[in-house]
Amino acid sequence: MPYCPKCRYEYKQGIIDCPECEVPLVGSLSELADLAGSEDGETYENWVALARLTSPQYVGMLEEVLRDDNIPVVVVRGAGYFEVTGQMGLTSFAPGGGAYTLMVPEEFVADADAHGLSIMGEDWAKSRLVDIEESE
């Protein structure tokens, strides 16, 4: 699936430019990860799918908090750019199994997890896709 290098939304195949940011899409998450380096030019190779969330409000809060703490974050939106309502098929009625996957570079997993716990509490713990104790 193609991704926007600026807003990091995931799009359906066939879309070439991000309609919101008006920039060309990149072909894969690995290309996006190469572009998601810090301001000093550092890039990150080992992205981890940290949690799967169903609430766009929580996703927005977490994205903002992580970026404010200089933690690179990519959110893969399983329902596509137009969320649940802009897509045909079963997922247009209800998000199936979590529409948002929160990804961070491996070295930021513990810090991102701490933010997730502080914002979402037990809901975050249930949404995790990795065993935090093993990744530290």
Side-chain angles (χ1 to χ4, degrees), residues 106-134:
E106 190 172 35
E107 57 264 37
F108 293 96
V109 166
D111 292 334
D113 181 64
H115 285 299
L117 281 171
S118 70
I119 291 171
M120 294 178 58
E122 187 62 30
D123 288 336
W124 174 261
K126 292 176 185 175
S127 300
R128 279 188 196 130
L129 297 174
V130 296
D131 184 2
I132 298 304
E133 288 72 31
E134 287 184 15

Side-chain angles (χ1 to χ4, degrees), residues 4 22 31 57 59 61 63 69 80 87-89 95 129 131:
C4 175
E22 299 178 355
E31 288 179 53
Q57 292 80 15
V59 169
M61 285 189 286
E63 274 186 291
D69 197 22
Q87 178 173 307
M88 299 301 289
L129 297 174
D131 184 2

Side-chain angles (χ1 to χ4, degrees), residues 1 7 15 22 28 46 57 62 76 78 84 87 111 114 118 124:
M1 293 290 192
C7 67
I15 298 176
E22 299 178 355
S28 69
N46 298 319
Q57 292 80 15
L62 285 165
V76 179
V84 175
Q87 178 173 307
D111 292 334
S118 70
W124 174 261

Side-chain angles (χ1 to χ4, degrees), residues 1-105:
M1 293 290 192
Y3 299 88
C4 175
K6 188 172 181 182
C7 67
R8 300 170 198 260
Y9 285 101
E10 178 184 18
Y11 292 89
K12 291 182 180 180
Q13 291 293 358
I15 298 176
I16 299 170
D17 295 321
C18 175
E20 185 72 26
C21 303
E22 299 178 355
V23 297
L25 302 179
V26 295
S28 69
L29 192 57
S30 62
E31 288 179 53
L32 184 57
D34 291 341
L35 297 171
S38 64
E39 290 181 9
D40 62 1
E42 186 174 354
T43 59
Y44 305 99
E45 294 180 11
N46 298 319
W47 287 79
V48 174
L50 181 59
R52 185 158 297 128
L53 308 169
T54 57
S55 166
Q57 292 80 15
Y58 276 141
V59 169
M61 285 189 286
L62 285 165
E63 274 186 291
E64 184 176 342
V65 167
L66 294 176
R67 289 195 175 123
D68 285 348
D69 197 22
N70 295 314
I71 297 174
V73 58
V74 171
V75 177
V76 179
R77 285 153 170 85
Y81 177 74
F82 294 106
E83 307 295 337
V84 175
T85 59
Q87 178 173 307
M88 299 301 289
L90 295 176
T91 58
S92 65
F93 302 105
Y100 307 94
T101 302
L102 189 83
M103 300 184 73
V104 297

